[in-house]
Amino acid sequence: MEYEMICGIETHIELATKTKIFCGCTTAFGGAPNTHCCPVCTGQPGALPVLNKSVAEFAVRAGRAVNCRINNNSHMDRKNYCYPDLPKAYQISQFDEPVCENGYIELESGKKIGITRIHIEEDAGKLVHENGQTYIDYNRGGVPLIEIVSEPDIRTAEEAREYAEKLQLIMRYVGVSDCKMQEGSMRCDVNISIHKPGTEFGTRTELKNINSLSNIVKAIEAEVERQTDCLESGEVIVQATMRYDADSDSVSVMRVKENSDDYRYFPEPDIVRFFIPPEEVMRIEEEIPELPSEKKKRYLNELMLSAEVVNQLYKYKRVTDYFEEVLSKGAGAKNASNLLIRGIYTRMNTEEEKEIFDISLPAEEMSKLTRLVDDKKISFNMAVGVLSDMLSTGKPVEAFISEKDTEGVSDDELVKLCEEAIAANPKAVSDIKNGKEKAINVMFGYIMKATKGKGDTKKASKIIMSIINK
């Protein structure tokens, strides 16, 4: 029996503020347990919260980056539930007046995944289970979050992965968060139901705290399979919160799912309503940089780079900032991008290293080297080797390339080398005469070796063919 999947994603993103949402404690990742907390973020009696202005600004930036409307008037609410990681037994969040509403993210197919709302809230602490004991670390408690809630517009596991990846890229680009899923600064709750096409939507379940893009796909596939088996065997799907275990690739029930009524939301009495002026929204919007999808289109259509090259560049904002600075100093896009990938990426083993892009080579020096290739004064392969030396030593281009290295090959010298290449490769000559034109590459190799990569292969090709065809 064929079922249609209905999916929506709730994404929690830790904001890149320096201090927490309601107090002055640091938001730095790590630290000894319970050293980044105070009476406010642990909910001690008499401690009153004060909303961090930067949190609202970050939420506006995130919202405008994904096409949301901004609610100028907003307030905080109490979400009541009792759990050990939340010592005051309620979370300060937003319910009926979120900062942002009605946005969307566009997939590569052109399909738009709607965004219902983006609201701000505080994070809870963390339970640590060791040797049969449970410990509580409140360092994360009070770290500011935005929760981005999508519409149930997602129909496949791959659409879910693409939506989450695009959301992650956008939030990184606009500086809202580093979105490191491995550190918990981006966490996805995936809501899933299945039904027969043409019938009412089924009962949904929620897969909690998915921590990687690949696991989003695996978790969805596992839960769809479980729900399908249930319906096929005549069972009833129960609304529940589920856990995905990546090791066993399986899902299990954590608890029966609550509804919003169970949280007894009401306006937070300790924090006054707040107003975000329209001119402030406009200022924040003007500061939003070119977004990943826009940059990708520009690299393809204006810089005329290949899709393969563009896909290796546009995802990393610091890489693109560096790349564009290199171009601004006169380098050509094709050679600059290829040198970056061949010469710099090869020294980076992880995605995180590319995101950080911590290199000491000034863009001016990278541009100088690229221009030598653009002007055909050195070969691309020679430039890759020089780039490696520059990165290792921190020395400029001039330390590795002399004026003599950049001198071209004279026409007379090139003719002589072409004659030598023909004499040294009789089989290639025979192949060329028999229509195998690619055999000329053997002679190019001879010439490039003799000239240390400085020979002009277009000129050499004409000379070789004229000599062979005499």
Side-chain angles (χ1 to χ4, degrees):
M1 178 68 69
E2 286 294 322
Y3 292 94
E4 180 182 47
M5 181 190 78
I6 306 297
C7 175
I9 298 180
E10 300 167 7
T11 308
H12 292 84
I13 293 176
E14 290 184 354
L15 300 180
T17 58
K18 293 181 179 179
T19 57
K20 292 186 180 181
I21 187 169
F22 301 124
C23 66
C25 292
T26 179
T27 57
F29 179 73
N34 299 309
T35 58
H36 295 173
C37 50
C38 71
V40 173
C41 54
T42 54
Q44 301 303 308
L48 294 175
V50 177
L51 179 60
N52 184 341
K53 180 184 176 183
S54 295
V55 173
E57 292 176 343
F58 273 55
V60 170
R61 192 187 308 175
R64 292 306 299 137
V66 292
N67 311 290
C68 283
R69 175 178 63 80
I70 305 303
N71 285 324
N72 301 106
N73 289 288
S74 194
H75 73 275
M76 305 304 297
D77 295 283
R78 282 192 185 183
K79 179 181 180 181
N80 297 274
Y81 67 93
C82 186
Y83 203 67
D85 61 7
L86 197 67
K88 57 182 180 281
Y90 62 85
Q91 179 190 36
I92 301 178
S93 181
Q94 291 191 297
F95 181 56
D96 59 332
E97 284 186 318
V99 174
C100 315
E101 292 183 289
N102 302 327
Y104 66 87
I105 284 179
E106 187 171 338
L107 305 183
E108 292 296 317
S109 65
K111 178 178 179 177
K112 292 179 178 178
I113 305 300
I115 290 175
T116 310
R117 55 189 278 140
I118 300 177
H119 63 261
I120 57 178
E121 63 186 19
E122 60 181 334
D123 207 345
K126 182 179 180 181
L127 299 184
V128 180
H129 306 284
E130 291 181 358
N131 302 319
Q133 302 291 322
T134 297
Y135 304 91
I136 306 174
D137 180 4
Y138 289 121
N139 280 352
R140 198 174 67 184
V143 167
L145 299 174
I146 52 173
E147 181 174 346
I148 303 175
V149 182
S150 85
E151 292 284 336
D153 293 338
I154 297 167
R155 293 294 177 270
T156 68
E158 185 52 37
E159 280 187 357
R161 185 208 60 77
E162 185 183 349
Y163 165 82
E165 182 179 35
K166 285 187 176 295
L167 187 60
Q168 183 184 56
L169 287 178
I170 291 169
M171 294 302 121
R172 283 176 174 166
Y173 254 69
V174 301
V176 163
S177 173
D178 60 22
C179 290
K180 294 180 180 178
M181 298 188 79
Q182 70 275 18
E183 293 183 3
S185 56
M186 175 174 164
R187 312 188 290 273
C188 292
D189 300 339
V190 182
N191 292 278
I192 298 171
S193 69
I194 62 172
H195 69 124
K196 296 177 184 177
T199 65
E200 292 184 2
F201 286 3
T203 301
R204 68 181 174 86
T205 57
E206 181 181 31
L207 292 160
K208 200 75 174 173
N209 290 334
I210 309 298
N211 62 359
S212 76
L213 296 174
S214 60
N215 279 350
I216 287 175
V217 174
K218 294 174 184 176
I220 288 174
E221 290 174 344
E223 176 58 9
V224 167
E225 183 178 358
R226 185 192 73 85
Q227 290 192 23
T228 301
D229 289 344
C230 284
L231 294 180
E232 290 294 293
S233 61
E235 296 179 31
V236 175
I237 305 294
V238 177
Q239 185 174 331
T241 298
M242 314 291 293
R243 176 189 290 111
Y244 173 68
D245 184 344
D247 293 334
S248 61
D249 191 27
S250 63
V251 291
S252 58
V253 176
M254 292 170 61
R255 58 183 181 272
V256 175
K257 177 64 181 171
E258 306 88 349
N259 290 308
S260 61
D261 290 347
D262 298 318
Y263 293 121
R264 296 177 289 116
Y265 282 99
F266 63 85
E268 170 55 53
D270 291 335
I271 299 177
V272 297
R273 295 180 60 85
F274 57 95
F275 177 72
I276 306 171
E279 57 269 24
E280 187 71 3
V281 174
M282 188 177 298
R283 177 190 66 78
I284 293 169
E285 185 171 359
E286 288 173 352
E287 292 175 354
I288 293 175
E290 182 181 39
L291 296 175
S293 58
E294 297 164 350
K295 194 175 292 290
K296 182 177 182 180
K297 288 176 185 176
R298 181 165 62 84
Y299 283 9
L300 288 168
N301 300 328
E302 294 183 22
L303 298 186
M304 304 300 289
L305 299 176
S306 70
E308 181 183 359
V309 167
V310 172
N311 285 333
Q312 293 186 70
L313 295 180
Y314 88 101
K315 294 181 180 180
Y316 313 103
K317 187 173 186 300
R318 291 187 179 179
V319 171
T320 59
D321 287 347
Y322 182 84
F323 171 61
E324 292 183 22
E325 188 179 353
V326 171
L327 300 192
S328 74
K329 298 181 185 300
K334 182 177 179 181
N335 283 324
S337 59
N338 287 331
L339 269 176
L340 199 155
I341 291 167
R342 284 272 305 275
I344 298 179
Y345 272 15
T346 51
R347 301 166 75 96
M348 297 178 174
N349 298 317
T350 65
E351 293 292 295
E352 187 173 3
E353 286 180 289
K354 293 174 186 176
E355 288 159 16
I356 296 171
F357 201 67
D358 182 20
I359 64 168
S360 58
L361 180 66
E364 175 63 44
E365 291 300 318
M366 180 70 165
S367 184
K368 282 183 189 176
L369 179 64
T370 306
R371 293 198 303 270
L372 291 175
V373 181
D374 293 339
D375 297 339
K376 295 184 169 57
K377 291 185 176 180
I378 63 171
S379 70
F380 180 82
N381 287 337
M382 182 179 182
V384 171
V386 170
L387 178 56
S388 178
D389 291 337
M390 291 168 69
L391 290 167
S392 297
T393 65
K395 294 180 180 179
V397 175
E398 292 80 9
F400 304 99
I401 299 179
S402 66
E403 270 190 48
K404 186 174 181 180
D405 291 326
T406 61
E407 290 175 358
V409 179
S410 69
D411 289 347
D412 289 343
E413 186 180 355
L414 189 58
V415 169
K416 181 181 177 183
L417 288 170
C418 287
E419 290 171 345
E420 291 176 4
I422 289 170
N425 295 281
K427 185 177 184 306
V429 173
S430 176
D431 288 341
I432 291 170
K433 288 181 176 179
N434 291 323
K436 296 179 181 179
E437 294 182 0
K438 288 185 178 181
I440 200 171
N441 291 334
V442 175
M443 285 179 268
F444 288 163
Y446 179 95
I447 293 165
M448 296 305 281
K449 183 177 180 181
T451 61
K452 296 183 178 179
K454 292 184 287 183
D456 186 329
T457 54
K458 287 185 179 179
K459 280 187 178 180
S461 177
K462 291 179 182 179
I463 294 169
I464 288 169
M465 295 304 294
S466 67
I467 294 173
I468 289 175
N469 293 326
K470 277 184 179 178

